[in-house]
Amino acid sequence: MRRTALGFTRIVHIESTNESRTRRDEQRRKYSKMIKEQRISRLGHLKRMEEGMMPKKIFTQELEGTRRKGRPRKRWKEEVEKRS
């Protein structure tokens, strides 16, 4: 089997691509975890607020009507409740 510069370059390229993919995935998991923690932290602030405060009113308010056709959009409140 003969090694060519092209074959060697290709192997190095594939290895570096896999490493960068792994690094990128780790970074995504790190940011995802950080966002989830921040959401739960904000939920704690909302739960402790007085009833008359505007953010709490908005959070506890239930909307009337129906959603559009298609896949339902993820809502912040639903995501936090699912994770807790």
Side-chain angles (χ1 to χ4, degrees):
M1 197 152 133
R2 190 172 149 199
R3 284 192 166 175
T4 62
L6 180 63
F8 183 73
T9 305
R10 182 179 171 122
I11 290 171
V12 170
H13 176 71
I14 290 171
E15 288 175 1
S16 66
T17 303
N18 288 339
E19 289 172 10
S20 64
R21 232 182 249 139
T22 303
R23 209 174 304 118
R24 195 176 6 176
D25 290 345
E26 289 174 5
Q27 202 67 2
R28 284 181 184 156
R29 281 192 290 271
K30 177 182 164 186
Y31 287 131
S32 179
K33 183 180 178 184
M34 184 177 68
I35 289 169
K36 289 173 189 175
E37 289 171 355
Q38 288 177 349
R39 284 180 175 173
I40 291 173
S41 174
R42 287 191 191 107
L43 177 64
H45 290 296
L46 285 170
K47 292 286 185 181
R48 291 188 300 271
M49 278 187 188
E50 296 176 17
E51 292 300 321
M53 302 288 289
M54 186 60 69
K56 184 146 187 175
K57 283 182 182 178
I58 293 170
F59 180 72
T60 57
Q61 173 183 343
E62 292 295 326
L63 299 176
E64 296 178 9
T66 58
R67 292 184 176 181
R68 296 184 289 179
K69 285 184 175 182
R71 191 193 93 208
R73 289 186 174 178
K74 293 182 178 180
R75 303 286 188 227
W76 184 85
K77 183 177 178 180
E78 294 166 355
E79 282 293 307
V80 171
E81 288 173 349
K82 183 174 81 173
R83 305 276 183 218
S84 301

